[in-house]
Amino acid sequence: MVSPPARYLVFFQYFGTKYSGVMETSNDQSIVGVQNYLEKAAQNLKPVVPIKFHISSRTDSGVHALSNSAHLDIQRAPGKPAFNEKELVYSLNYHLKPEPIRILNAHRVTSSFHARFSALSRTYVYRLLIGCAHYSEIPVFERDLCWAPVGGCLNVPAMQDAAQFLLGTHDFSTFRSLNSETPFQSPVRTILQVDIRPSSGFLSHHYEHRGLEFWELKFRSRSFLYRQVRRMVGALVAVGQGKLTPHHIKELLERKDSRAFPPNAMAPPSGLFLKSVEYNEADLDTTIAPGE
């Protein structure tokens, strides 16, 4: 008798610079997605049917994740018990070497659980570096992990004022890039949190004399539009540079037109991190009955 598949939710992180994004691509491309490597590693678990990762949150090429998530179903050969969570984490990480991708933890969930649709919210952080007059001044350990806008100085209080216009429920058409899904997606989103706070760099206490400042912009919503976070960050940086006023953010929202977004203002992918995907704890603390 073949036992039913066991469903798991896994949380994983990755350094996104070398990948085409998190989603899978055809394996004949020179650069593929994080999902390609996850599923290749999972095949070493010797499942009865190939394992598919259902990713909760898409990230683009160059974007990193402190914690993304996915669900997967594993059907083992007759007589083989379901993996426990620790076994699954260890086995996947063993087969992911030497990729900069790590499984953080796993939860057994019910067969009705969905990594994308069961998520309550997603939180992104964007790292800014202030004080670099030129790209060459970025510390070598921070390359591809932050954005140092040209000019080196930003009016952070003005950015914090502007960010308040993004809070709440709005039509974010101006703040999305167009893609194949645009005609089928509502542009209305609810931003639950926007914070701009000082942060720290990697070993930055060793070069305090350089006067560099790290800042984090944090955004939380149930879901985001394509490149919405990078466009919001880019607009806020334009405010910090004096190219826009805080009130311009409100005007951009009211335009409801992606073509109204200032040209070349979108933030690069390198400073963007998916920080976390939030779920109802009750969904992750479930005793699975046989057959579920």
Side-chain angles (χ1 to χ4, degrees), residues 187-211:
V188 176
R189 292 292 184 271
T190 300
I191 302 296
L192 302 168
Q193 179 184 12
V194 183
D195 283 331
I196 303 177
R197 296 183 179 180
S199 184
S200 58
F202 180 70
L203 297 176
S204 57
H205 56 286
H206 289 293
Y207 50 86
E208 288 176 344
H209 63 281
R210 294 187 58 188

PDB file of all heavy atoms in Angstrom, residues 187-211:
ATOM      1  N   PRO A 187      -4.083  46.450  -8.498  1.00  0.00           N
ATOM      2  CA  PRO A 187      -2.961  47.261  -8.021  1.00  0.00           C
ATOM      3  C   PRO A 187      -3.130  47.735  -6.583  1.00  0.00           C
ATOM      4  O   PRO A 187      -2.266  48.432  -6.055  1.00  0.00           O
ATOM      5  CB  PRO A 187      -2.979  48.450  -8.986  1.00  0.00           C
ATOM      6  CG  PRO A 187      -4.424  48.603  -9.337  1.00  0.00           C
ATOM      7  CD  PRO A 187      -5.002  47.214  -9.357  1.00  0.00           C
ATOM      8  N   VAL A 188      -4.229  47.368  -5.944  1.00  0.00           N
ATOM      9  CA  VAL A 188      -4.502  47.824  -4.578  1.00  0.00           C
ATOM     10  C   VAL A 188      -3.768  46.918  -3.583  1.00  0.00           C
ATOM     11  O   VAL A 188      -3.901  45.693  -3.614  1.00  0.00           O
ATOM     12  CB  VAL A 188      -6.013  47.828  -4.284  1.00  0.00           C
ATOM     13  CG1 VAL A 188      -6.275  48.211  -2.825  1.00  0.00           C
ATOM     14  CG2 VAL A 188      -6.733  48.786  -5.223  1.00  0.00           C
ATOM     15  N   ARG A 189      -2.984  47.531  -2.728  1.00  0.00           N
ATOM     16  CA  ARG A 189      -2.262  46.824  -1.688  1.00  0.00           C
ATOM     17  C   ARG A 189      -2.344  47.627  -0.393  1.00  0.00           C
ATOM     18  O   ARG A 189      -2.561  48.837  -0.411  1.00  0.00           O
ATOM     19  CB  ARG A 189      -0.781  46.625  -2.058  1.00  0.00           C
ATOM     20  CG  ARG A 189      -0.552  45.666  -3.232  1.00  0.00           C
ATOM     21  CD  ARG A 189      -0.911  44.237  -2.856  1.00  0.00           C
ATOM     22  NE  ARG A 189      -0.617  43.271  -3.911  1.00  0.00           N
ATOM     23  CZ  ARG A 189      -1.430  42.920  -4.882  1.00  0.00           C
ATOM     24  NH1 ARG A 189      -2.631  43.509  -4.972  1.00  0.00           N
ATOM     25  NH2 ARG A 189      -1.096  42.015  -5.778  1.00  0.00           N
ATOM     26  N   THR A 190      -2.145  46.937   0.734  1.00  0.00           N
ATOM     27  CA  THR A 190      -2.165  47.590   2.043  1.00  0.00           C
ATOM     28  C   THR A 190      -0.790  47.462   2.673  1.00  0.00           C
ATOM     29  O   THR A 190      -0.330  46.341   2.958  1.00  0.00           O
ATOM     30  CB  THR A 190      -3.217  46.958   2.966  1.00  0.00           C
ATOM     31  OG1 THR A 190      -4.512  47.094   2.368  1.00  0.00           O
ATOM     32  CG2 THR A 190      -3.209  47.635   4.330  1.00  0.00           C
ATOM     33  N   ILE A 191      -0.131  48.593   2.864  1.00  0.00           N
ATOM     34  CA  ILE A 191       1.172  48.599   3.526  1.00  0.00           C
ATOM     35  C   ILE A 191       0.926  48.719   5.030  1.00  0.00           C
ATOM     36  O   ILE A 191       0.370  49.711   5.512  1.00  0.00           O
ATOM     37  CB  ILE A 191       2.056  49.766   3.029  1.00  0.00           C
ATOM     38  CG1 ILE A 191       2.258  49.661   1.509  1.00  0.00           C
ATOM     39  CG2 ILE A 191       3.399  49.754   3.758  1.00  0.00           C
ATOM     40  CD1 ILE A 191       3.004  48.429   1.051  1.00  0.00           C
ATOM     41  N   LEU A 192       1.319  47.685   5.762  1.00  0.00           N
ATOM     42  CA  LEU A 192       1.045  47.615   7.190  1.00  0.00           C
ATOM     43  C   LEU A 192       2.127  48.300   8.020  1.00  0.00           C
ATOM     44  O   LEU A 192       1.867  48.740   9.147  1.00  0.00           O
ATOM     45  CB  LEU A 192       0.940  46.144   7.624  1.00  0.00           C
ATOM     46  CG  LEU A 192      -0.128  45.323   6.900  1.00  0.00           C
ATOM     47  CD1 LEU A 192       0.047  43.839   7.192  1.00  0.00           C
ATOM     48  CD2 LEU A 192      -1.518  45.794   7.313  1.00  0.00           C
ATOM     49  N   GLN A 193       3.335  48.379   7.479  1.00  0.00           N
ATOM     50  CA  GLN A 193       4.443  48.960   8.224  1.00  0.00           C
ATOM     51  C   GLN A 193       5.463  49.540   7.270  1.00  0.00           C
ATOM     52  O   GLN A 193       5.797  48.926   6.250  1.00  0.00           O
ATOM     53  CB  GLN A 193       5.111  47.881   9.096  1.00  0.00           C
ATOM     54  CG  GLN A 193       6.301  48.373   9.911  1.00  0.00           C
ATOM     55  CD  GLN A 193       6.984  47.242  10.674  1.00  0.00           C
ATOM     56  OE1 GLN A 193       6.718  46.067  10.425  1.00  0.00           O
ATOM     57  NE2 GLN A 193       7.854  47.590  11.595  1.00  0.00           N
ATOM     58  N   VAL A 194       5.957  50.737   7.581  1.00  0.00           N
ATOM     59  CA  VAL A 194       7.098  51.341   6.891  1.00  0.00           C
ATOM     60  C   VAL A 194       7.994  51.944   7.963  1.00  0.00           C
ATOM     61  O   VAL A 194       7.537  52.783   8.742  1.00  0.00           O
ATOM     62  CB  VAL A 194       6.693  52.453   5.901  1.00  0.00           C
ATOM     63  CG1 VAL A 194       7.932  52.980   5.180  1.00  0.00           C
ATOM     64  CG2 VAL A 194       5.682  51.971   4.887  1.00  0.00           C
ATOM     65  N   ASP A 195       9.233  51.509   8.004  1.00  0.00           N
ATOM     66  CA  ASP A 195      10.198  52.044   8.965  1.00  0.00           C
ATOM     67  C   ASP A 195      11.486  52.391   8.241  1.00  0.00           C
ATOM     68  O   ASP A 195      11.902  51.669   7.317  1.00  0.00           O
ATOM     69  CB  ASP A 195      10.544  51.012  10.045  1.00  0.00           C
ATOM     70  CG  ASP A 195       9.463  50.877  11.098  1.00  0.00           C
ATOM     71  OD1 ASP A 195       8.761  51.866  11.343  1.00  0.00           O
ATOM     72  OD2 ASP A 195       9.330  49.773  11.653  1.00  0.00           O
ATOM     73  N   ILE A 196      12.127  53.477   8.651  1.00  0.00           N
ATOM     74  CA  ILE A 196      13.469  53.811   8.171  1.00  0.00           C
ATOM     75  C   ILE A 196      14.318  54.038   9.409  1.00  0.00           C
ATOM     76  O   ILE A 196      14.114  55.013  10.151  1.00  0.00           O
ATOM     77  CB  ILE A 196      13.466  55.073   7.277  1.00  0.00           C
ATOM     78  CG1 ILE A 196      12.512  54.884   6.092  1.00  0.00           C
ATOM     79  CG2 ILE A 196      14.881  55.380   6.787  1.00  0.00           C
ATOM     80  CD1 ILE A 196      12.390  56.108   5.195  1.00  0.00           C
ATOM     81  N   ARG A 197      15.253  53.132   9.646  1.00  0.00           N
ATOM     82  CA  ARG A 197      16.020  53.163  10.891  1.00  0.00           C
ATOM     83  C   ARG A 197      17.504  52.941  10.624  1.00  0.00           C
ATOM     84  O   ARG A 197      17.872  52.251   9.663  1.00  0.00           O
ATOM     85  CB  ARG A 197      15.520  52.073  11.848  1.00  0.00           C
ATOM     86  CG  ARG A 197      14.088  52.260  12.299  1.00  0.00           C
ATOM     87  CD  ARG A 197      13.683  51.197  13.301  1.00  0.00           C
ATOM     88  NE  ARG A 197      12.307  51.383  13.758  1.00  0.00           N
ATOM     89  CZ  ARG A 197      11.713  50.602  14.632  1.00  0.00           C
ATOM     90  NH1 ARG A 197      12.365  49.565  15.144  1.00  0.00           N
ATOM     91  NH2 ARG A 197      10.458  50.840  15.013  1.00  0.00           N
ATOM     92  N   PRO A 198      18.360  53.478  11.516  1.00  0.00           N
ATOM     93  CA  PRO A 198      19.799  53.210  11.376  1.00  0.00           C
ATOM     94  C   PRO A 198      20.090  51.736  11.581  1.00  0.00           C
ATOM     95  O   PRO A 198      19.397  51.041  12.336  1.00  0.00           O
ATOM     96  CB  PRO A 198      20.434  54.080  12.470  1.00  0.00           C
ATOM     97  CG  PRO A 198      19.328  54.402  13.422  1.00  0.00           C
ATOM     98  CD  PRO A 198      18.064  54.378  12.636  1.00  0.00           C
ATOM     99  N   SER A 199      21.116  51.259  10.912  1.00  0.00           N
ATOM    100  CA  SER A 199      21.487  49.851  10.977  1.00  0.00           C
ATOM    101  C   SER A 199      22.999  49.756  11.119  1.00  0.00           C
ATOM    102  O   SER A 199      23.681  50.745  11.391  1.00  0.00           O
ATOM    103  CB  SER A 199      20.988  49.129   9.715  1.00  0.00           C
ATOM    104  OG  SER A 199      21.247  47.754   9.777  1.00  0.00           O
ATOM    105  N   SER A 200      23.524  48.570  10.926  1.00  0.00           N
ATOM    106  CA  SER A 200      24.970  48.379  11.037  1.00  0.00           C
ATOM    107  C   SER A 200      25.465  47.616   9.816  1.00  0.00           C
ATOM    108  O   SER A 200      24.717  46.900   9.163  1.00  0.00           O
ATOM    109  CB  SER A 200      25.317  47.602  12.310  1.00  0.00           C
ATOM    110  OG  SER A 200      24.675  46.340  12.322  1.00  0.00           O
ATOM    111  N   GLY A 201      26.729  47.790   9.522  1.00  0.00           N
ATOM    112  CA  GLY A 201      27.357  47.064   8.428  1.00  0.00           C
ATOM    113  C   GLY A 201      28.178  45.906   8.958  1.00  0.00           C
ATOM    114  O   GLY A 201      28.401  45.780  10.169  1.00  0.00           O
ATOM    115  N   PHE A 202      28.633  45.063   8.060  1.00  0.00           N
ATOM    116  CA  PHE A 202      29.438  43.911   8.448  1.00  0.00           C
ATOM    117  C   PHE A 202      30.796  44.394   8.965  1.00  0.00           C
ATOM    118  O   PHE A 202      31.563  45.020   8.227  1.00  0.00           O
ATOM    119  CB  PHE A 202      29.620  42.978   7.249  1.00  0.00           C
ATOM    120  CG  PHE A 202      30.436  41.752   7.554  1.00  0.00           C
ATOM    121  CD1 PHE A 202      29.932  40.750   8.362  1.00  0.00           C
ATOM    122  CD2 PHE A 202      31.708  41.601   7.024  1.00  0.00           C
ATOM    123  CE1 PHE A 202      30.672  39.621   8.641  1.00  0.00           C
ATOM    124  CE2 PHE A 202      32.455  40.472   7.296  1.00  0.00           C
ATOM    125  CZ  PHE A 202      31.946  39.483   8.109  1.00  0.00           C
ATOM    126  N   LEU A 203      31.069  44.163  10.256  1.00  0.00           N
ATOM    127  CA  LEU A 203      32.327  44.582  10.896  1.00  0.00           C
ATOM    128  C   LEU A 203      32.571  46.086  10.765  1.00  0.00           C
ATOM    129  O   LEU A 203      33.717  46.547  10.780  1.00  0.00           O
ATOM    130  CB  LEU A 203      33.519  43.809  10.301  1.00  0.00           C
ATOM    131  CG  LEU A 203      33.509  42.290  10.506  1.00  0.00           C
ATOM    132  CD1 LEU A 203      34.693  41.646   9.794  1.00  0.00           C
ATOM    133  CD2 LEU A 203      33.546  41.933  11.985  1.00  0.00           C
ATOM    134  N   SER A 204      31.483  46.868  10.673  1.00  0.00           N
ATOM    135  CA  SER A 204      31.634  48.301  10.413  1.00  0.00           C
ATOM    136  C   SER A 204      32.280  49.047  11.575  1.00  0.00           C
ATOM    137  O   SER A 204      32.804  50.151  11.396  1.00  0.00           O
ATOM    138  CB  SER A 204      30.277  48.926  10.085  1.00  0.00           C
ATOM    139  OG  SER A 204      29.355  48.702  11.136  1.00  0.00           O
ATOM    140  N   HIS A 205      32.275  48.451  12.785  1.00  0.00           N
ATOM    141  CA  HIS A 205      32.928  49.114  13.920  1.00  0.00           C
ATOM    142  C   HIS A 205      34.438  49.203  13.722  1.00  0.00           C
ATOM    143  O   HIS A 205      35.112  49.962  14.401  1.00  0.00           O
ATOM    144  CB  HIS A 205      32.602  48.380  15.233  1.00  0.00           C
ATOM    145  CG  HIS A 205      32.948  46.930  15.230  1.00  0.00           C
ATOM    146  ND1 HIS A 205      32.201  45.995  14.539  1.00  0.00           N
ATOM    147  CD2 HIS A 205      33.955  46.239  15.831  1.00  0.00           C
ATOM    148  CE1 HIS A 205      32.724  44.794  14.727  1.00  0.00           C
ATOM    149  NE2 HIS A 205      33.787  44.910  15.493  1.00  0.00           N
ATOM    150  N   HIS A 206      34.964  48.432  12.762  1.00  0.00           N
ATOM    151  CA  HIS A 206      36.405  48.487  12.489  1.00  0.00           C
ATOM    152  C   HIS A 206      36.779  49.622  11.542  1.00  0.00           C
ATOM    153  O   HIS A 206      37.960  49.879  11.337  1.00  0.00           O
ATOM    154  CB  HIS A 206      36.895  47.159  11.907  1.00  0.00           C
ATOM    155  CG  HIS A 206      36.909  46.040  12.905  1.00  0.00           C
ATOM    156  ND1 HIS A 206      37.768  46.014  13.987  1.00  0.00           N
ATOM    157  CD2 HIS A 206      36.162  44.901  12.997  1.00  0.00           C
ATOM    158  CE1 HIS A 206      37.562  44.906  14.696  1.00  0.00           C
ATOM    159  NE2 HIS A 206      36.590  44.229  14.115  1.00  0.00           N
ATOM    160  N   TYR A 207      35.777  50.252  10.933  1.00  0.00           N
ATOM    161  CA  TYR A 207      36.110  51.373  10.047  1.00  0.00           C
ATOM    162  C   TYR A 207      35.176  52.567  10.304  1.00  0.00           C
ATOM    163  O   TYR A 207      34.761  53.265   9.390  1.00  0.00           O
ATOM    164  CB  TYR A 207      36.102  50.961   8.569  1.00  0.00           C
ATOM    165  CG  TYR A 207      34.882  50.215   8.074  1.00  0.00           C
ATOM    166  CD1 TYR A 207      33.754  50.908   7.630  1.00  0.00           C
ATOM    167  CD2 TYR A 207      34.856  48.828   8.022  1.00  0.00           C
ATOM    168  CE1 TYR A 207      32.636  50.246   7.160  1.00  0.00           C
ATOM    169  CE2 TYR A 207      33.731  48.153   7.556  1.00  0.00           C
ATOM    170  CZ  TYR A 207      32.628  48.866   7.119  1.00  0.00           C
ATOM    171  OH  TYR A 207      31.527  48.208   6.651  1.00  0.00           O
ATOM    172  N   GLU A 208      34.902  52.792  11.594  1.00  0.00           N
ATOM    173  CA  GLU A 208      34.042  53.916  11.975  1.00  0.00           C
ATOM    174  C   GLU A 208      34.601  55.255  11.511  1.00  0.00           C
ATOM    175  O   GLU A 208      33.846  56.206  11.253  1.00  0.00           O
ATOM    176  CB  GLU A 208      33.865  53.936  13.501  1.00  0.00           C
ATOM    177  CG  GLU A 208      32.965  52.819  14.026  1.00  0.00           C
ATOM    178  CD  GLU A 208      32.883  52.811  15.546  1.00  0.00           C
ATOM    179  OE1 GLU A 208      33.749  53.459  16.179  1.00  0.00           O
ATOM    180  OE2 GLU A 208      31.977  52.157  16.087  1.00  0.00           O
ATOM    181  N   HIS A 209      35.938  55.341  11.402  1.00  0.00           N
ATOM    182  CA  HIS A 209      36.573  56.601  11.006  1.00  0.00           C
ATOM    183  C   HIS A 209      36.149  57.062   9.617  1.00  0.00           C
ATOM    184  O   HIS A 209      36.306  58.231   9.271  1.00  0.00           O
ATOM    185  CB  HIS A 209      38.104  56.450  11.046  1.00  0.00           C
ATOM    186  CG  HIS A 209      38.621  55.426  10.077  1.00  0.00           C
ATOM    187  ND1 HIS A 209      38.569  54.059  10.341  1.00  0.00           N
ATOM    188  CD2 HIS A 209      39.184  55.551   8.840  1.00  0.00           C
ATOM    189  CE1 HIS A 209      39.090  53.401   9.313  1.00  0.00           C
ATOM    190  NE2 HIS A 209      39.461  54.275   8.401  1.00  0.00           N
ATOM    191  N   ARG A 210      35.586  56.151   8.814  1.00  0.00           N
ATOM    192  CA  ARG A 210      35.188  56.526   7.452  1.00  0.00           C
ATOM    193  C   ARG A 210      33.871  57.295   7.427  1.00  0.00           C
ATOM    194  O   ARG A 210      33.519  57.877   6.405  1.00  0.00           O
ATOM    195  CB  ARG A 210      35.082  55.273   6.572  1.00  0.00           C
ATOM    196  CG  ARG A 210      36.423  54.577   6.328  1.00  0.00           C
ATOM    197  CD  ARG A 210      36.288  53.470   5.326  1.00  0.00           C
ATOM    198  NE  ARG A 210      35.770  53.961   4.046  1.00  0.00           N
ATOM    199  CZ  ARG A 210      35.418  53.160   3.036  1.00  0.00           C
ATOM    200  NH1 ARG A 210      35.536  51.849   3.173  1.00  0.00           N
ATOM    201  NH2 ARG A 210      34.959  53.662   1.903  1.00  0.00           N
ATOM    202  N   GLY A 211      33.132  57.284   8.520  1.00  0.00           N
ATOM    203  CA  GLY A 211      31.892  58.047   8.587  1.00  0.00           C
ATOM    204  C   GLY A 211      30.766  57.489   7.739  1.00  0.00           C
ATOM    205  O   GLY A 211      29.856  58.227   7.334  1.00  0.00           O
TER     206      GLY A 211
END
